[in-house]
Amino acid sequence: MKTQRWFTPWVLTIPALAWLLVFSVWPSINTLRLSFTNAKPLGGDVDFVGLRNYTDMLHDGDVRTALLNSVVYMAICLPLLTILPLLLAVLVEKRLPGISFFRTAFYVPVIASAVVVGLMWTWLLDDRGLINNMARALHVVAQPVPFLTDRWLVLISAISLTVWKGLGYYMIVYLAALGNVRKDLHEAAAIDGAGAVRRFLTVTVPGVRGTMFLVSILVSVAALRVFSELYILTGGKGGPGGKDQSLVMLIQQYAGGFYGNFGYASALSVLLFAVTLVPMIVLARLNNRSER
Amino acid sequence: MKALRYFLLAFVLVITVGPFLWELSTSLKGAGEDIYTQTPSFVPHQPTLNNYAKVADAIPVWRYIGNSLVVAALTVGGNILFATTAGYAIARLRFRGRSVVLGLFLSTLVLPGEVTIVSQYVTVRDFGLADTLVGVALPGMVAALNVLLMYNAFRALPQEIDEAAIVDGATVPQRLLRVSLPAVRGTLAVVAIFAFIQAWDDFLWPLIVLTSPEKYTLTVGLQYLSGTFTQDQRLIAAGTMIAFIPIAILFSALQRYFFRGVEEGGVKG
């Protein structure tokens, strides 16, 4: 029986496919191509310059600083955002009265724009903001803590913002996974006299191990892609002496304007892609090994 | 035990929602109230909406809301339409090249959007769409992730419902619209909510595409407000609330569908 005409699937697929080719596949190829040129936003001749953008990158102190920042960002985000959201998911898993209110409320930071929460935190962390005022009122510190003006504290502030904003998102990912953890194992462990902590470690964690690896990859890649948090907390300036920049901030700077350089920005993009592959490959390997 | 759970829930609630309430409180404090004092009050002493009016004096905030809505509407429309059709075709129809198409959509998932943002801008500029709202919306109108979400949802439906419809002589569009689509409403809602949130919240891409202040979306406009026009935290707070409240209302109205969609398996990295 003939159920469809030959072209029907293509009519349905072609718009999405065209978008994929024009806005994902072609830009990927073009990024690589541009990274070997000296293309500028303001026009002019486009020449192939070989590996010059890449050799320039090796000697660029900003790039080295950005990579260092990325490693620190990832190293702190990875454990916090892999573990805290799981604890949170366990907390909201049980169907207590009012639990859906808490689930929704915990998700609120996720739906807010990074610009909105960035400005909120700028105010909270201000020298005369709530956190410094409380710390001084409680005599924890005598002078305001320079959350937004110290080279390392800016980075730590941005990391806290990323962790705070990500909690709800990964909580939901874990919540979906917790539904698949076998209830009978929990009951058996409880009958054997295992306490809550023990059951969490021996039943829950092994049950969601695959999801933990998935989350750890998502968290690492997201940490390497950070832009808005650092941009907003530093008013677009990248902190004292521009020391608090991420790779994406550098890409954005070279993407336009008088000093723009599409060639160099593209080489930075290729570097960014290479860097995001590292945690993906390492964590995928670890996952495979632990499954054997 | 139960009390401990509620205590912990309340503690996390203060951490996650507290900052929003503090921002709301700051936005309602009048010029006469010292917001920098060491003993700040959570409840405004002389609550006022003045700061919101002042935001509209400093930046064309209504226009920015309109601009953000245009971008969000295009993004939601494009994703609902094209992710549904493509997801349906790949999941429910047999055709040559089907697995290649699926593989192509899957392969783009490992590519962070920031990596291609420069050449994407070059493409949009070559289309003559630099510094336009269409240029902001265009690349996000079909997201590969949404195609795959719809594909997953359609694939989970039993084969029999199509067979019965085919026996009745239903064409492909009839089968899609009347048989399959109603069964995947949860996932469709997740796709729509996320497309809206993503478009409304996006900052980096509009920051790159838009150069004229009158074309800014709300997020870029907010940054413009805090960077250029004012140091007054009351005004900035009012601006953030203008950007946040619509999406908070939208989300709380639709959160039922969202969490149901999550249970259907609608949320994946």
Side-chain angles (χ1 to χ4, degrees):
Chain A
M1 182 165 51
K2 202 169 158 57
T3 59
Q4 71 196 45
R5 279 175 287 198
W6 69 270
F7 54 80
T8 308
W10 291 105
V11 172
L12 294 175
T13 317
I14 271 174
L17 205 53
W19 243 275
L20 188 76
L21 293 175
V22 174
F23 293 111
S24 283
V25 177
W26 167 244
S28 314
I29 300 166
N30 203 25
T31 301
L32 203 57
R33 187 187 70 92
L34 285 169
S35 75
F36 298 112
T37 70
N38 62 355
K40 298 272 193 313
L42 299 180
D45 291 338
V46 177
D47 294 316
F48 278 88
V49 295
L51 290 171
R52 208 184 67 203
N53 289 322
Y54 291 93
T55 50
D56 283 355
M57 225 156 59
L58 287 176
H59 304 290
D60 188 338
D62 286 349
V63 173
R64 249 173 289 162
T65 310
L67 280 174
L68 173 65
N69 290 340
S70 296
V71 171
V72 173
Y73 221 98
M74 193 172 76
I76 301 180
C77 283
L78 181 63
L80 291 179
L81 275 179
T82 305
I83 295 163
L84 291 179
L86 176 59
L87 298 175
L88 209 52
V90 171
L91 184 63
V92 299
E93 189 197 9
K94 205 168 194 182
R95 294 213 160 268
L96 296 170
I99 202 70
S100 63
F101 163 76
F102 286 104
R103 288 181 184 179
T104 311
F106 296 172
Y107 201 76
V108 166
V110 181
I111 62 160
S113 170
V115 176
V116 167
V117 296
L119 290 171
M120 269 168 43
W121 277 59
T122 307
W123 171 218
L124 284 175
L125 297 170
D126 190 274
D127 279 354
R128 293 181 293 173
L130 185 65
I131 292 176
N132 265 319
N133 275 339
M134 288 204 311
R136 270 187 298 175
L138 299 170
H139 298 289
V140 180
V141 292
Q143 292 300 312
V145 183
F147 290 113
L148 301 174
T149 44
D150 175 83
R151 184 253 184 275
W152 289 107
L153 280 177
V154 171
L155 200 64
I156 302 294
S157 302
I159 291 170
S160 336
L161 175 48
T162 299
V163 170
W164 175 79
K165 190 168 171 16
L167 282 176
Y169 180 78
Y170 299 109
M171 173 191 85
I172 292 293
V173 176
Y174 278 126
L175 204 53
L178 284 177
N180 300 324
V181 176
R182 285 169 54 195
K183 294 274 172 291
D184 54 333
L185 288 180
H186 265 293
E187 284 155 15
I191 290 167
D192 287 349
V197 175
R198 211 189 155 100
R199 269 179 295 157
F200 175 76
L201 290 174
T202 56
V203 180
T204 309
V205 170
V208 297
R209 205 193 47 198
T211 309
M212 285 179 82
F213 271 102
L214 173 72
V215 167
S216 63
I217 290 177
L218 293 175
V219 168
S220 319
V221 174
L224 297 173
R225 294 164 60 185
V226 66
F227 171 76
S228 305
E229 287 95 329
L230 278 172
Y231 188 95
I232 298 294
L233 284 185
T234 63
K237 294 183 187 74
K243 288 281 182 202
D244 291 295
Q245 304 210 61
S246 66
L247 274 179
V248 181
M249 280 177 85
L250 292 178
I251 293 172
Q252 183 261 338
Q253 276 166 29
Y254 285 108
F258 192 69
Y259 297 102
N261 185 336
F262 287 152
Y264 197 58
S266 299
L268 289 169
S269 306
V270 174
L271 175 67
L272 175 66
F273 181 55
V275 170
T276 57
L277 284 180
V278 175
M280 280 198 224
I281 292 168
V282 170
L283 290 165
R285 279 242 168 126
L286 280 174
N287 188 26
N288 283 342
R289 195 176 301 163
S290 67
E291 264 171 14
R292 253 183 250 140
Chain B
M1 202 55 209
K2 213 172 183 181
L4 177 69
R5 240 175 219 272
Y6 276 112
F7 174 76
L8 288 171
L9 286 167
F11 175 70
V12 180
L13 185 70
V14 170
I15 292 174
T16 52
V17 179
F20 290 96
L21 295 177
W22 181 246
E23 191 80 344
L24 178 65
S25 152
T26 305
S27 79
L28 296 172
K29 286 177 178 168
E33 185 166 352
D34 182 9
I35 58 170
Y36 300 108
T37 164
Q38 282 225 26
T39 50
S41 156
F42 182 72
V43 180
H45 290 311
Q46 315 137 348
T48 169
L49 289 172
N50 250 340
N51 299 317
Y52 290 81
K54 279 198 217 154
V55 169
D57 291 340
I59 56 168
V61 71
W62 288 105
R63 175 184 271 268
Y64 291 170
I65 290 173
N67 291 347
S68 281
L69 280 176
V70 168
V71 173
L74 286 170
T75 309
V76 172
N79 276 294
I80 285 192
L81 190 61
F82 298 135
T84 301
T85 55
Y88 179 80
I90 302 170
R92 309 295 291 189
L93 304 177
R94 280 155 198 266
F95 60 103
R96 213 183 250 271
R98 187 179 147 271
S99 50
V100 177
V101 171
L102 180 61
L104 212 54
F105 280 110
L106 274 170
S107 67
T108 58
L109 286 188
V110 297
L111 192 73
E114 290 82 358
V115 168
T116 54
I117 209 156
V118 175
S119 55
Q120 209 157 60
Y121 174 63
V122 174
T123 305
V124 164
R125 201 183 62 159
D126 290 346
F127 286 168
L129 295 171
D131 200 21
T132 66
L133 293 174
V134 175
V136 175
L138 199 61
M141 280 176 65
V142 184
L145 180 66
N146 290 335
V147 173
L148 292 169
L149 284 176
M150 294 311 294
Y151 161 79
N152 261 331
F154 281 125
R155 203 182 46 158
L157 302 179
Q159 203 62 53
E160 291 79 45
I161 65 166
D162 265 343
E163 282 160 10
I166 290 169
V167 171
D168 290 343
T171 62
V172 170
Q174 285 168 341
R175 265 147 53 197
L176 168 56
L177 287 175
R178 302 211 189 126
V179 181
S180 296
L181 202 54
V184 297
R185 272 177 314 195
T187 309
L188 198 62
V190 171
V191 166
I193 295 169
F194 267 101
F196 187 92
I197 291 176
Q198 187 236 316
W200 183 266
D201 287 352
D202 197 12
F203 177 56
L204 173 58
W205 176 242
L207 185 69
I208 288 178
V209 175
L210 301 173
T211 44
S212 318
E214 76 271 14
K215 291 189 181 140
Y216 283 172
T217 56
L218 198 48
T219 51
V220 183
L222 263 185
Q223 200 274 324
Y224 185 54
L225 170 75
S226 71
T228 315
F229 290 104
T230 183
Q231 297 293 319
D232 188 345
Q233 291 294 347
R234 302 176 189 86
L235 276 198
I236 296 171
T240 60
M241 284 298 120
I242 292 172
F244 173 67
I245 288 170
I247 208 146
I249 292 173
L250 180 84
F251 184 72
S252 47
L254 297 177
Q255 51 91 12
R256 243 171 350 116
Y257 300 97
F258 170 73
F259 286 105
R260 198 185 302 156
V262 169
E263 276 162 22
E264 280 174 25
V267 170
K268 293 261 161 62

